[in-house]
Amino acid sequence: MRILHTSDWHLTKPIGRRDRTDEFEAVLDEVVTIAASEMVDVVVHSGDLFDRAIPSPEALRLALDALVRLADGGRRPTVVVAGNHDSPRLFEALAPVLRPLGVHLVGDLRAPSDGGALVLETASGTCVVCCVPFVTQGRVVDFMDDPGRAYGTYADRMQAIIRPHHAFAEEHRSDAVTLLVAHFMVGGVKVRGGYGPTGMKELTIGEAFAVTEAAVNHDFSYAALGHIHLPQPIPGPVTGQYAGSLLQLDFGESGEEKRVVVVEAEPNRPAVARSVPLVAGRRLLQLRGSWEELEVRTDVDDAWLDVTVITDGPPSPQTVDGWRNRLPRAVRLQAEYPTEEPTEAAVISGRRIDDLYGEYHRTVWGEPDAEHMDLVRDVLTEAEA
């Protein structure tokens, strides 16, 4: 049996205030083409279909169109679990409409016997898909408790949530390919590729709220995980992968090679996974240097740019306009020059404003909801543009 694993589409996340709909359309076409050319039997998506709980009409259109094309009239069952950016209620509302088309959306956490595991018949045999959507810390952790106990509680509770899926997979492993499709972080995973800060939410990716390797073991032919945007194998002796995000979504992902994973599997044996590169979408580049060094570069014209120009002092508005004319795809363009006193930005270097605000809100008011943080990020994007 051949499976295509994709994840973390984040439709239609902009870069700064720049729209990327054309890039998302192109890369989704590429994924559909790969599914057809590789003759896959099943497609699994491990969460964060959208970038926010209430997606835009354009994001909804792109998602439904791509999922229906992937399912190919039900000949290629397609399963999607909700990630931390998705709305479980929206998934559950759309599920009955899409199921006859071969698209299975799983928004709510359920026991395997109550719809949490799907038994799908394909051209190459039976496939059992155990689904674990994103589980918020608030559902399993008392944030007023001692931090050390809270961290341990999350890992223990997640292991308890996944345990029935292991048992269900064990029952079927002799005559079916068994998959775990889930959205969480396994301890030891590499979050960043070393290219700069990432836009992922710090609370939900911190090592503190990670699932241990013991929660994902060899009961499954393959574990398809989402939540981490950097493509990589799952840490430890587990046959599985983080497929990674569909595009380079922020400058923390610049330099990362994006992909889908094609998996060869058969019952009662570990699967074999290989990467299929994705080439659609513009690169994200971070540039830093004098203007004389930057203006002669020839590799920047079709990339989104984060530019820092090193100068002797504050540039004039006319100078900045000249920079923008030369680098029209600069999402952020700033000058760096000596100052007498350290700035507040230097004191909080490496921390995103939305992360700092989230930390403040959790300390004073408790965990902010997703819509609240989406609004904070929108205001931040407007201010940075």
Side-chain angles (χ1 to χ4, degrees):
M1 184 180 298
R2 189 168 289 181
I3 302 108
L4 185 145
H5 172 204
T6 183
S7 191
D8 292 89
W9 288 3
H10 287 269
L11 304 173
T12 46
K13 180 180 174 65
I15 184 72
R17 296 178 65 184
R18 310 299 184 93
D19 182 75
R20 304 185 74 184
T21 299
D22 61 333
E23 296 174 74
F24 281 107
E25 287 179 331
V27 77
L28 290 174
D29 287 344
E30 192 176 0
V31 173
V32 173
T33 298
I34 291 169
S37 64
E38 292 280 352
M39 296 184 291
V40 303
D41 300 291
V42 179
V43 176
V44 293
H45 186 302
S46 47
D48 281 352
L49 184 65
F50 302 110
D51 192 53
R52 56 183 56 209
I54 304 175
S56 68
E58 187 68 7
L60 193 58
R61 179 190 69 81
L62 287 176
L64 298 183
D65 175 72
L67 293 175
V68 169
R69 286 191 290 152
L70 282 170
D72 191 25
R75 288 178 288 275
R76 191 187 299 130
T78 298
V79 180
V80 189
V81 301
N84 58 299
H85 284 259
D86 298 318
S87 165
R89 285 184 292 181
L90 176 62
F91 270 46
E92 294 300 319
L94 292 173
V97 179
L98 294 176
R99 195 174 299 119
L101 302 175
V103 178
H104 304 266
L105 299 185
V106 181
D108 290 336
L109 185 65
R110 295 189 178 93
S113 59
D114 191 32
L118 307 176
V119 180
L120 305 174
E121 297 302 327
T122 79
S124 298
T126 304
C127 183
V128 172
V129 185
C130 295
C131 302
V132 181
F134 180 73
V135 181
T136 64
Q137 291 80 9
R139 292 185 63 176
V140 297
V141 170
D142 180 0
F143 282 96
M144 300 303 292
D145 203 347
D146 173 76
R149 181 180 297 177
Y151 303 156
T153 298
Y154 182 77
D156 292 343
R157 294 283 177 83
M158 285 302 301
Q159 188 164 347
I161 286 169
I162 299 168
R163 190 175 297 121
H165 291 283
H166 284 297
F168 193 86
E170 179 65 27
E171 293 174 7
H172 292 81
R173 65 184 302 175
S174 63
D175 57 1
V177 169
T178 57
L179 306 178
L180 173 67
V181 183
H183 196 86
F184 55 67
M185 175 179 171
V186 175
V189 70
K190 188 176 182 182
V191 176
R192 297 174 176 85
Y195 307 104
T198 179
M200 295 178 68
K201 296 179 182 178
E202 198 65 35
L203 178 67
T204 57
I205 63 172
E207 283 287 340
F209 290 100
V211 174
T212 62
E213 294 174 12
V216 188
N217 62 26
H218 291 289
D219 291 328
F220 303 101
S221 306
Y222 176 79
L225 296 193
H227 194 35
I228 304 303
H229 293 182
L230 179 65
Q232 62 193 289
I234 298 172
V238 178
T239 303
Q241 299 275 331
Y242 282 100
S245 51
L246 201 61
L247 297 171
Q248 294 177 6
L249 294 174
D250 60 49
F251 289 101
E253 299 182 26
S254 61
E256 294 180 9
E257 299 295 331
K258 299 305 181 181
R259 65 166 185 176
V260 295
V261 182
V262 173
V263 182
E264 305 277 355
E266 55 185 282
N268 209 30
R269 301 186 68 175
V272 177
R274 59 184 169 87
S275 295
V276 179
L278 297 171
V279 299
R282 294 184 176 89
R283 295 172 302 145
L284 273 59
L285 295 178
Q286 293 176 299
L287 308 179
R288 185 175 183 275
S290 69
W291 181 247
E292 290 73 22
E293 295 170 327
L294 298 178
E295 68 174 339
V296 298
R297 291 190 57 158
T298 59
D299 61 340
V300 300
D301 291 340
D302 197 42
W304 297 116
L305 306 174
D306 179 358
V307 183
T308 300
V309 183
I310 301 174
T311 66
D312 294 330
S316 69
Q318 293 79 12
T319 298
V320 174
D321 287 343
W323 295 348
R324 291 192 181 280
N325 289 335
R326 170 63 183 87
L327 302 174
R329 295 197 187 278
V331 175
R332 188 175 70 159
L333 199 160
Q334 63 181 358
E336 181 181 296
Y337 47 87
T339 57
E340 294 182 0
E341 298 293 335
T343 64
E344 183 179 354
V347 176
I348 60 173
S349 176
R351 298 290 304 279
R352 289 172 52 87
I353 293 176
D354 52 329
D355 287 339
L356 293 168
Y357 175 81
E359 181 180 283
Y360 159 77
H361 197 289
R362 283 188 292 275
T363 301
V364 178
W365 305 106
E367 186 70 16
D369 58 38
E371 290 80 4
H372 187 124
M373 291 305 297
D374 283 341
L375 179 60
V376 171
R377 293 187 185 93
D378 286 346
V379 172
L380 178 59
T381 297
E382 291 285 342
E384 289 180 337

